[in-house]
Amino acid sequence: MTNESLENVTLELRRGVIVLAVLSRLEQEQYGYSLIKNLADNGLEIDQGTLYPLLRRLEGQGLLKSSWRVETDRPRRYYLLSAEGRTLLPRLKEEWIGIVSMMEKML
Amino acid sequence: MSTNLIDTYVYEVGRRLPRKMRSDIEAEIRSVLQDMLEERSQKTGKPVDEEMTLEILKNYGAPDKVAANYLGDRYLVGPRLFPTFLLVLRIVLTVIGVLAAIGLGIALYQTTLSPANALHTTLKAFGYFFTSAFTALGNIVIIFAILEWALYRAGDKPEIQGQPKEKEWDPRSLTKVSSPNRVKMGETILEIVGSFVAIVLFNFYPQIIGFTPSLNGLVESGNWAVGFSNLNFVPLFSEAFFRFMPYLTIVWVLTILLDIVLLRLGYWKAWTRIASICLKIISIIIAAGMLGVPSLLAVTTTSLTTALGDANAARILMNLLNQVVRIGLWISIIGNGIEIIQAVTRLVKNNLIPQFAGRN
């Protein structure tokens, strides 16, 4: 039961972080699978089923833009921060730094 | 084989998605799966085969789960509408229950009662209640599902810059609601039920407001709504009375609408008080108009004499009936008058002298 609770809370904590992590990786253009690997290389493992719907949502909110491009033998969808996303990212980073310092004081 | 598996998997995800987004998501999943297979093949040094594809698909997740991630939470009746849905459901079920109980009461009273007859009538009344309740439930769910869909569509659109945001909730509004300004749930629901019964009774089954030798035909028919219209009733009210019916119906309909708004709000606002006062003034005018009509009753001393076989008793009964109608109208006028005075007092205190609002 304790392990289950720990898993649930950890999942919620990570869920909040994913958006910022994804936005921070998309200052350079990336396709879905390369983004997953990039995040994993930095220590953040994301479920495929979570990432792609999230990318669509962020695109719907105008924070990302995407385009299909054919490379080697198959089409890939590339994602990049939109102008609005670029404006928002530094402010989100500030928010994050504030949260971290607040939590450090608390814990 | 592995391409076939991917095709089937992508199709299974796609068929669970709305048509608008389907092809785009299908193409993306296909592209990602191929990337994953390619990387796995490079890592293991083996060519892509069925086993590897199955492993990748298992890792990607069950089609219904993957599709659900794209769709987000969707409801038939969502949390925003659910309280209103429950409220409407309670009101409608109460109305149906009251109608069924009235139908059963009349039927039991008028039937030559044997235990078998009573049981038969009661079971039929329950059957009527459950059939009507389920039909009503279905209709209400459909209406709310359409509303939910409309809200979902409206909320789906990206926020337009510069558009005014939703009005902020002010906690100070809590202090404005003093107890006399709270809507009394029980009374309001009772008023809705009463108005609804009156609308149905006077407009659709006016012939049953009167005297009838027996309701056996009704009980036998099994359907009291159809059964009522087939019976021979001697009408109680005259044509002059029914000339007021369109005005009364408008007042009842507006009363129901106002009551639903009040139940939703939970407390009285200035405009609801004014609307209620207006309805009461109209009710007084209608009642006064009725008092001015010489005969609201269809029965006469002559017809009662024939029915009772006693001219003296008929005369006394006729007098009594006329007095009851007049007293009833006067009670309605005085009652509405008192309620208007109370409402105006509350309105003045709440809006002109707000400091008294919480004390009364």
Side-chain angles (χ1 to χ4, degrees):
Chain A
M1 192 62 198
T2 321
N3 275 346
E4 201 183 306
S5 308
L6 179 72
E7 257 177 51
N8 287 340
V9 177
T10 311
L11 204 71
E12 295 219 352
L13 281 176
R14 288 166 67 91
R15 204 173 286 155
V17 173
I18 288 172
V19 173
L20 182 55
V22 166
L23 290 177
S24 74
R25 296 297 91 189
L26 288 175
E27 284 179 290
Q28 271 94 45
E29 196 176 48
Q30 301 214 45
Y31 61 91
Y33 194 58
S34 70
L35 177 60
I36 285 230
K37 282 201 293 179
N38 187 314
L39 290 166
D41 290 344
N42 282 287
L44 184 64
E45 299 273 355
I46 298 187
D47 187 29
Q48 313 261 2
T50 310
L51 180 71
Y52 296 106
L54 172 70
L55 289 172
R56 285 186 77 87
R57 264 204 300 281
L58 293 174
E59 191 182 6
Q61 288 168 14
L63 301 178
L64 298 180
K65 53 185 182 180
S66 75
S67 57
W68 281 97
R69 219 176 302 150
V70 181
E71 273 183 359
T72 58
D73 56 343
R74 65 172 162 276
R76 280 186 177 129
R77 188 178 202 159
Y78 281 83
Y79 292 92
L80 182 67
L81 278 186
S82 66
E84 201 183 331
R86 282 184 195 282
T87 320
L88 195 74
L89 186 59
R91 285 164 63 189
L92 282 176
K93 281 182 187 170
E94 273 173 39
E95 279 290 327
W96 174 251
I97 292 164
I99 290 170
V100 170
S101 80
M102 173 190 73
M103 288 311 293
E104 272 175 354
K105 269 186 231 161
M106 268 202 244
L107 297 173
Chain B
M1 185 64 190
S2 61
T3 322
N4 274 348
L5 266 174
I6 290 181
D7 283 344
T8 314
Y9 180 83
V10 168
Y11 167 77
E12 283 298 321
V13 176
R15 78 184 180 89
R16 291 169 166 87
L17 296 169
R19 204 183 295 273
K20 207 168 63 178
M21 53 163 78
R22 190 178 298 159
S23 60
D24 199 40
I25 293 174
E26 281 180 348
E28 186 162 43
I29 293 176
R30 195 186 299 278
S31 160
V32 172
L33 289 172
Q34 281 167 347
D35 277 334
M36 288 169 82
L37 278 172
E38 194 179 276
E39 199 208 40
R40 183 67 58 94
S41 170
Q42 276 169 6
K43 258 190 192 168
T44 56
K46 285 188 205 166
V48 172
D49 58 7
E50 193 185 328
E51 197 187 337
M52 195 184 283
T53 311
L54 286 171
E55 204 181 318
I56 292 288
L57 292 181
K58 190 170 178 5
N59 192 19
Y60 206 91
D64 52 350
K65 210 176 148 193
V66 173
N69 277 330
Y70 280 97
L71 293 170
D73 293 333
R74 295 208 297 183
Y75 305 93
L76 194 62
V77 181
R80 267 182 299 183
L81 288 180
F82 195 66
T84 319
F85 168 78
L86 272 187
L87 181 66
V88 171
L89 198 63
R90 257 184 239 151
I91 293 169
V92 172
L93 290 184
T94 313
V95 169
I96 293 171
V98 169
L99 283 177
I102 292 172
L104 176 65
I106 295 173
L108 285 177
Y109 180 72
Q110 299 277 348
T111 319
T112 356
L113 271 185
S114 70
N117 246 351
L119 184 70
H120 182 68
T121 310
T122 311
L123 286 178
K124 283 211 162 168
F126 273 104
Y128 161 77
F129 172 72
F130 284 114
T131 316
S132 310
F134 279 116
T135 312
L137 176 68
N139 288 330
I140 293 168
V141 169
I142 289 170
I143 292 166
F144 274 84
I146 293 169
L147 279 175
E148 184 65 43
W149 176 79
L151 277 176
Y152 173 78
R153 294 285 301 222
D156 212 20
K157 288 175 193 136
E159 200 178 303
I160 300 161
Q161 278 188 338
Q163 217 176 37
K165 286 194 173 171
E166 206 179 324
K167 203 177 158 192
E168 273 183 34
W169 175 70
D170 184 359
R172 272 172 293 194
S173 63
L174 288 175
T175 58
K176 288 177 191 160
V177 188
S178 56
S179 62
N181 287 330
R182 288 208 184 100
V183 172
K184 286 169 187 143
M185 290 283 279
E187 277 179 26
T188 315
I189 291 176
L190 207 67
E191 192 170 65
I192 292 175
V193 175
S195 304
F196 188 83
V197 171
I199 292 170
V200 173
L201 205 62
F202 284 103
N203 286 283
F204 301 107
Y205 306 105
Q207 69 277 24
I208 67 166
I209 310 159
F211 305 104
T212 175
S214 154
L215 274 175
N216 284 339
L218 159 71
V219 176
E220 285 310 310
S221 77
N223 180 340
W224 69 277
V226 173
F228 274 149
S229 54
N230 292 340
L231 289 173
N232 292 322
F233 284 85
V234 179
L236 176 65
F237 292 110
S238 68
E239 242 178 74
F241 173 85
F242 282 101
R243 254 179 246 140
F244 289 95
M245 209 35 63
Y247 310 110
L248 283 171
T249 305
I250 292 170
V251 171
W252 288 326
V253 170
L254 292 176
T255 304
I256 291 177
L257 291 177
L258 179 64
D259 283 343
I260 290 173
V261 171
L262 285 172
L263 287 175
R264 190 75 196 95
L265 285 173
Y267 60 92
W268 286 90
K269 283 184 168 190
W271 74 267
T272 50
R273 286 237 190 257
I274 293 167
S276 170
I277 291 168
C278 290
L279 283 175
K280 288 186 196 316
I281 291 172
I282 297 169
S283 301
I284 290 180
I285 294 170
I286 295 172
M290 285 175 142
L291 275 175
V293 172
S295 182
L296 292 168
L297 296 172
V299 282
T300 56
T301 317
T302 326
S303 65
L304 275 180
T305 311
T306 321
L308 299 171
D310 182 344
N312 205 27
R315 206 169 32 249
I316 293 167
L317 185 61
M318 195 60 220
N319 246 334
L320 199 69
L321 282 172
N322 272 324
Q323 288 308 315
V324 165
V325 171
R326 297 205 150 259
I327 290 168
L329 287 170
W330 274 112
I331 288 175
S332 154
I333 291 171
I334 294 164
N336 277 319
I338 292 170
E339 284 183 23
I340 289 172
I341 293 166
Q342 284 174 337
V344 170
T345 316
R346 194 82 62 214
L347 198 64
V348 170
K349 280 186 177 172
N350 284 348
N351 294 284
L352 300 180
I353 328 165
Q355 66 268 32
F356 288 112
R359 297 184 196 171
N360 293 280

